[in-house]
Amino acid sequence: MTRLKTSDISGITSRLDAYDRYLQAAAHQSLAGVACHAWGVDPEAVASRIKRFAVYVIPVTAGQGIITRFSETVGGILQFLGCDAIVTEQTDASGLAQAFERKADAIMMADDYRFVGINLHTREVVDNAVATGRAFAAVLDLMAGGIKDQTVLVMGCGPVGEAGAGMLLEKNARVGLYDTNYDAARSLEKRLDKASGEAKIEVHDDFTSQCRGYSHILEATPQGNTIPDEWITDRMRVAAPGVPLGLSGRGADLLQGRLIHDKLELGVAAMAVKLIISSGQGD
Ligand code: 2YH
């Protein structure tokens, strides 16, 4: 599991406007719009509730401890979306108590294992890995002008890849699965087959001979440089939630305008939207 470093997230808040514009140019939707697409909800329904939705972000010292500016960056993304977002002054149990005492609608907090949002009215728990996988599948769908009947290579069969692949199948794409751990790819295939009921999935065991030629890639691995530069074509579109980015600098340049990669923004935005649309939030 990738642990973000302060260097990964520094500058995210100040670049949100530019990233929003980049998303609108590449995927024809804003950050909020992509997040809504991830759950199939109407952006206007979210916009009308967002300002009154108080999300408290609680820094957590457990395990490896605080990542400098992690909570502030999450809070900055939520504020950019229009949420009433606050980072608690206190950490851990004290921060959680503060959120409840001040009548938060939702909280967000992360330890070494999970980054979650919880709607305090409905008790719905939204996992960042699931939200991120769906948000990047959503952006691929938007970039492609509809991913239905297109083939997509999902690289990395962890929780983010799983959620992304699940959404792509919901959108009636054909999915190729690859993981350096072949058993992980096979067991994901079984879970997805059970959920989707139709076999639109192919599992690959040899990357070099079987994975070239895909025009759509969801790169959800924790490795860098996974997509070879020479595989990149003018038609290729890549949605890459994996950290570090699975492309060389040259590869990323070649894909300019057809590559979406971020380390926190889309996942946090999709978490926020899911928390807001969670029913019975006391409004
Ligand atoms: O980065 C992480 C974990 N690897 C979980 C990621 C789940 N996708 N956690 C962030 C830890 C934040 C820290 N406890 C803080 O600053 O509050």
Side-chain angles (χ1 to χ4, degrees), residues 1-4 58-62 64-71 109-115 127-129 160:
M1 187 183 298
T2 309
R3 180 177 162 88
L4 291 172
I58 304 159
V60 173
T61 64
Q64 294 187 61
I66 300 286
I67 298 172
T68 304
R69 296 209 54 77
F70 176 82
S71 294
M109 60 198 298
D111 64 14
D112 293 346
Y113 305 101
R114 290 184 76 181
F115 173 17
D127 195 292
N128 173 260
V160 175

Side-chain angles (χ1 to χ4, degrees), residues 144-156:
I147 205 72
K148 184 174 186 289
D149 296 329
Q150 303 278 358
T151 51
V152 183
L153 176 64
V154 175
M155 297 170 64

